[in-house]
Amino acid sequence: MKIHNVIIYILATIGVATLFYFLVYKVADDNTYDAQTFYATITDQSDTTFTVKGMEVNDINFRGNFSFGVSEETELVWRYTAIECSDLEVGDNISITFTGDITETDPAGISEVLRLQLLDDEK
């Protein structure tokens, strides 16, 4: 009778672990597909608000003008090193990773910027 209980316990543990694995994998997978990245040049900056022009290397949907704000949750990096908004200047090339919708205004509005990466060789 004890071996029977041990086998049931092992099978239940494997089943629960498998269930959690797929639930976590599905959530992580969904978040990955929601985020998008494109390249742009900063055309205007006011503290934590930026206006950018998408580069020609982007998909046609990301070649226009965009506006967005940077929050405390936004990661700002240059060569794997954290930077501040004040380190970014008009004319800098950046990559923008974001989630959510883009408003159909001019410039288009991005609501949730996850990461800004300075692409220039020198800071």
Side-chain angles (χ1 to χ4, degrees), residues 42 44-50 68-77 81-90 92 94 113 115-116 118 123:
I42 298 173
D44 190 33
Q45 177 187 8
S46 175
D47 294 323
T48 60
T49 303
F50 293 86
F68 57 87
V70 173
S71 68
E72 289 183 16
E73 290 80 28
T74 304
E75 180 184 15
L76 297 142
V77 295
T81 303
I83 59 173
E84 300 293 325
C85 279
S86 59
D87 294 323
L88 299 170
E89 301 174 346
V90 171
D92 284 345
I94 59 174
V113 176
R115 180 179 190 181
L116 287 182
L118 179 60
K123 184 169 71 159

Side-chain angles (χ1 to χ4, degrees), residues 29-83:
D29 192 41
D30 287 347
N31 289 339
T32 301
Y33 288 116
D34 287 343
Q36 298 184 67
T37 300
F38 70 99
Y39 304 104
T41 302
I42 298 173
T43 57
D44 190 33
Q45 177 187 8
S46 175
D47 294 323
T48 60
T49 303
F50 293 86
T51 303
V52 299
K53 169 83 170 128
M55 295 181 181
E56 292 297 316
V57 298
N58 296 325
D59 176 271
I60 194 164
N61 295 321
F62 294 105
R63 293 182 188 167
N65 297 313
F66 298 87
S67 177
F68 57 87
V70 173
S71 68
E72 289 183 16
E73 290 80 28
T74 304
E75 180 184 15
L76 297 142
V77 295
W78 175 71
R79 293 187 176 184
Y80 306 104
T81 303
I83 59 173

Side-chain angles (χ1 to χ4, degrees), residues 109-121:
I110 300 173
S111 59
E112 189 174 342
V113 176
L114 303 175
R115 180 179 190 181
L116 287 182
Q117 181 175 354
L118 179 60
L119 300 176
D120 296 333
D121 289 333

